[in-house]
Amino acid sequence: MKLKHLLCLGILFSVEQVLAQKQLTKYVDPYIGSAAHGHVFVGANVPFGAVQLGPTNVFEGWDWCSGYNYASNTIIGFAHTHLSGTGIGDLNDILVMPATGPSQLDYVSTFSHDKEVVKAGYYSVILDKYKIKAELTTSERVGFHRYTFEKGAKNPHVMLDLNAGVGWDSPVETYVKQVDATTIVGYRLSKGWANDQRLYFAVKLSQPLNSLSLSDSTSFSSNGKELKGKRVKAVLNFKSINQDILKLKVGLSPVSYENAMTNLIAEIPAWDFDKVARLADQKWEKELSKVKIEADEETKKTFYTSLYHTMIAPSVFDDVNGDYRGTDKKVYHKPGFTNYTTFSLWDTYRAYHPLFTFLHQDKVSDVVNSFLAIYKQQGKLPVWHLMGNETNTMIGYHAVPIIVDAYLKGFKGFDANLAYEAMKHSAMQKVEGIEYAQEIKYIPSDKIIESVAKGLEYAIDDWCIAQMAKAMNKTEDYNYFSKRAKLYSEYFDKQSQFMRGKLQDGNWRTPFNPIASKHREDDYTEGNAWQYTWLVPQDPEGLISLFGGDAPFTKKLDTLFSMSSAMDAGSSPDISGLVGQYAQGNEPNHHIPYLYAYAGQPWKTADLVRQITDSLYTNKPDGLCGNEDLGQMSSWYVFSAMGFYPVNPANGAYVFGSPIINDAVISLPGNKKFHIKVNANSKENKYIQKILLNGKPYTKSYLRHKDLVAGGELTLFMGNKPSATWGVNPADRPRSVAIE
Amino acid sequence: MKLKHLLCLGILFSVEQVLAQKQLTKYVDPYIGSAAHGHVFVGANVPFGAVQLGPTNVFEGWDWCSGYNYASNTIIGFAHTHLSGTGIGDLNDILVMPATGPSQLDYVSTFSHDKEVVKAGYYSVILDKYKIKAELTTSERVGFHRYTFEKGAKNPHVMLDLNAGVGWDSPVETYVKQVDATTIVGYRLSKGWANDQRLYFAVKLSQPLNSLSLSDSTSFSSNGKELKGKRVKAVLNFKSINQDILKLKVGLSPVSYENAMTNLIAEIPAWDFDKVARLADQKWEKELSKVKIEADEETKKTFYTSLYHTMIAPSVFDDVNGDYRGTDKKVYHKPGFTNYTTFSLWDTYRAYHPLFTFLHQDKVSDVVNSFLAIYKQQGKLPVWHLMGNETNTMIGYHAVPIIVDAYLKGFKGFDANLAYEAMKHSAMQKVEGIEYAQEIKYIPSDKIIESVAKGLEYAIDDWCIAQMAKAMNKTEDYNYFSKRAKLYSEYFDKQSQFMRGKLQDGNWRTPFNPIASKHREDDYTEGNAWQYTWLVPQDPEGLISLFGGDAPFTKKLDTLFSMSSAMDAGSSPDISGLVGQYAQGNEPNHHIPYLYAYAGQPWKTADLVRQITDSLYTNKPDGLCGNEDLGQMSSWYVFSAMGFYPVNPANGAYVFGSPIINDAVISLPGNKKFHIKVNANSKENKYIQKILLNGKPYTKSYLRHKDLVAGGELTLFMGNKPSATWGVNPADRPRSVAIE
């Protein structure tokens, strides 16, 4: 007993020590990206946690996809799930609102940001209307609420609202049951962007409730301890609040409310709110400290908030005992991996998952295993997966680059043969124009909508399959998919030098306007010809030769970045963050600034990276120039700030740009560290002059993943003029092959 | 030209004169009843107008049935239709919100009451978020908006939201079309409490719009001039606002948007907002001045606001050309009467419609004709009719007392034979226990829910049919319905002296608790045995004899009003405004205080009327103790304040209570006036001592309708002690017959 006691004290002491240092979480500002179109989640969560517990505003439209936007001053309650950065709204399930006075069917209070505290793992606000201080923190699967009421508050109560949800979301069946005076359980089955979402919960109260009022329509009745219905709401009434503080723990589960209770008891067994908040902070601190940078304070704020934003999704989608509910709605026990959900793959395959392969090496195989489980359950790899549902949002089969990148980078924790089968299945579907690629043909724009974007994205995925086929010695497949990987060239109109819609008869679609874009109605996907012409990250050399060489290629790129940003009316709202016609706000653009490196003009990449990080990533609430898209926008920044970017999503190479930080230490498994030293970095000194890797001259204009994860020291020497030699020599430029 | 010009000046001058007097509208405070459970409409309308144009808050539950509650500080827009005082939410159609900045799918701004102006026919508020002053006024079928923007406001625009609606309301099909740069038309078909609501609109703008953005889901597109869909929203964009003032006129029609435009042009042809606001004020002034009272200022405020609340519904439900859409959804042309809708008959048959028979004599036949048109179109008389839809809310066939009251009071503008047929149809339906009454049997409480309430209400309606049968010399029917009118006695348990649920086997239902009430789950309708035992307004003498005479009857009444107000948990929220177990907040109670008069103790009625008017009708926002119920709560006050009340809804007699006013002049058609003089009235002098009618002693404790509408002078002499003689003599007491 004594030893255990001392041990506890010891642990607490070290917790306090960590908090005292408080190096990195203090740089996280969850407001960044919460205004305008960033759509990030604001509230309390832990890295990759199933619970995202935060305020839900009155819905005001697209900019409320997460449920919260900085422009609002209303709160209707605190929901346990929120999306972060999507362009479609959903979730905001299990809404809880503390209140006083007469009970209602719906609640809304105003609040002001000066009475709000937003931190990694902690959120608090004063609800003006009810004079209640609400504080929120979480573990992975449990939300923890602490409500401080005014002394002697009248009719204190808590609304548990199973009707509320954001966007298309609407409840299908909801259920509440009072188990005893301090325990409520239930579930919410809903239909929305996620077509069949099932969420179970268990609530523990810090004091017994006085009565429970249940409603399924417009009025409450207080007879009965349980209610099943389409839109059940429960009001938990208290005679008075002990010492004015009421605490609630809410466990979630995709499986059952029994499991939700198991999660609750396992993760937050006691009632020490401050301790749980400290633990949440520590979990963030641990993750953030995987990259320790030196930079000015403003840059640190932007950098660590970006890093924080890369750890909200995917989120764990299982219980502490390993149970999870598959896409087939069956419950799986002990699957042997941690199941994840919320995969925005069209966005995240580009840089988010490459970043994941060195920052979260322990989770890479779990993500691939989650993909493969989905493949077995729904018959195809995930496209855009949300809470155990395939939403089929966006285009491509972009689970492929993620799997191939993992495989080529040496992750072995999954069944490579099954993975290969699953990828090949995706590529052999007879839908969405993929059938044309199968015959080594372009997709006719008069047959298939968004034909150019689809053709280009498929070619990327097919290049990846080819690389895995090669690595698995499947030569025939390698040859076949390599041909498909070259199909991008079919869309290139040599005369106009644009990727264009081609009709079945072989003619280019007319009229053609390279700045025109009609959302979901033309040959591109949230973009125009200026933006899509560059979407060949798997083969920039091939693209350069289509243009006729480096000179015409870079001339066209120069125009892209310097021309007018004017666009036709009716353009997609996703085209934002413009530099010329380049749109940092939308993902198919993200690699374009780095293409100069392939043409031997890396200083232009440097110019652009500095311009974009300076002007389009700020540490203000409107600091993101487009949807965060579950970490992709922030991954672009994290990579670029460190000085490189994964143009090809699966070739194990990161193309140099211009580092923003002055120093960075990336912590790797096995106590390895990769140390990036930047010599003489400044606003003016933005051009890399030379590089040393582990003390030896390094002339390539790209960094190999294998060198990074091996640990070591990279020194970048900066100067205020483009280097005449570094990165210029064709032999040193990035290459369109899987780097050995 | 010159003459016309002078004429115009002349008219304007007289308008100003009227305004300068401003006798009565200044006493109207639309806030009264807008807090707590009053549920009144707040906004701009004219008497019985189709348009109720006012703010819509974020919905917060039952107390937002009208769309607005004083407790809120949010506005999501200004809708053109609102219910006033219901216990179920609906309407709030055609929501308009002015804004600045980026356009959104939904809007919410905070506001404060100190920046709000609420008047009869006019509403204004400052929208905090957009810094816009919004002013609203209306004619009968047209809403008029005047928005004053901040100088140089960025991206000024107006949202036209066809998705929004209150309560169960949800859109089914919506449509917007831009006709030209200043004209928008469309419709909103919705499903809610009104199952198939069809509302057409036409909008005229004071300046051309720059562009129109249309949305049917989550994003906007600005190509196209029209859109049909489930939840269409349109944003009207303006480059800038001429002189910062934008005006909109919005015509409504139940028939077509062409008719909506016809209404717009006919009712508000020009752009003079102030003039239309003055006209709205005048319309209210004209109606309010039908009863000119002398009383203290506080009483005047309560009285005239009550009178105002009796003229919100029913509302006209036709076009200026007479067209309307029937319950059968067919369009009727030139029907020969003004069609009305929104009939909350279970509430309003009690006092609202009797009040209507002398204050709005020109409209009585129109109301009956609206009932008869509904009968022809839907096959039965209206029960609770809303916007051309039968909602079948509440119990009884209470169109009957209204028709009979009109007939017996001499209104001849409808087909009495058809009316009789329709009423008899209602009474001969084989549903809801009516089939038992047809066999002169009680309704078994183990067969039919709310059996006691139904049995009692049916008996009232059947008594009314009997009186009309008698007047039409249908002796057989008279005898038959007179028997049915007596069936109330079947529910009276002589032992407990309560109206109780009786089982099919003849036993009383047990267990029995006279203060118990379970909303929609017991033998009563929003009430308990204490409240329902008195529901025999058609035959109080019969009820008194069931009790065994005046003494036990008044003893029980004394207990009702003096006992504890405690009630079982789970009671209906409609039971409110308690004096003992008497509930002023719910309509089946309303006649009870006046029952003492039938037992020769009119001073106890006086005591209660004073207590209720003093404590349960105040001129504060929470001044109504229950749902306003479309004028019934206020009609109780208007009647009681004048000194009498129609206990029997159709016998042409008003039972005296205790006048609150010191003097009242009721203006009647043909320049007749009925002058109520109250001598020596005061807080203490609440007891009527004697009465003179047209100078002659009047000993009855009830006033005859025919004497009132004939015009004349009634003088009430008040004293501080109950009179030992007035109203005591059995021959002078009110009687349960149709008064000749």
Side-chain angles (χ1 to χ4, degrees), chain B residues 614-662:
Chain B
D614 269 10
S615 63
L616 298 174
Y617 287 86
T618 74
N619 52 35
K620 301 286 179 302
D622 62 356
L624 287 176
C625 64
N627 296 165
E628 164 64 9
D629 286 317
L630 302 110
Q632 168 62 24
M633 280 285 280
S634 287
S635 294
W636 190 95
Y637 183 86
V638 170
F639 264 121
S640 293
M642 292 193 298
F644 43 84
Y645 185 85
V647 171
N648 182 316
N651 78 335
Y654 307 126
V655 177
F656 285 114
S658 179
I660 311 304
I661 49 88
N662 300 321

Side-chain angles (χ1 to χ4, degrees), chain A residues 58-62 64 71-74 104-108 110 129-130 168 218-219 222-223 518-519 521 570, chain B residues 58-62 64 71-74 104-108 110 129-130 168 218 222-223 518-519 521 570:
Chain A
V58 172
F59 187 74
E60 298 185 39
W62 192 55
W64 275 257
S72 175
N73 65 341
T74 61
Q104 296 172 193
L105 272 177
D106 293 276
Y107 293 78
V108 59
T110 52
K129 188 166 182 173
Y130 303 110
W168 304 340
T218 54
S219 62
S222 37
N223 48 329
K518 289 219 183 295
H519 193 64
E521 290 178 29
Chain B
V58 172
F59 187 74
E60 297 186 39
W62 191 55
W64 276 257
S72 175
N73 65 341
T74 61
Q104 296 173 194
L105 273 178
D106 293 276
Y107 293 78
V108 60
T110 51
K129 188 165 182 175
Y130 303 109
W168 303 341
T218 54
S222 38
N223 47 330
K518 289 220 182 295
H519 193 66
E521 290 178 30

Side-chain angles (χ1 to χ4, degrees), chain A residues 22 69 116 163 265 267 292 332 400 427 603 643 713 729 738:
Chain A
K22 211 168 190 329
N69 187 290
E116 201 180 26
N163 178 44
I265 293 165
E267 293 189 354
K292 288 198 175 137
Y332 291 84
V400 164
W603 59 89
E713 193 175 280
N729 186 338

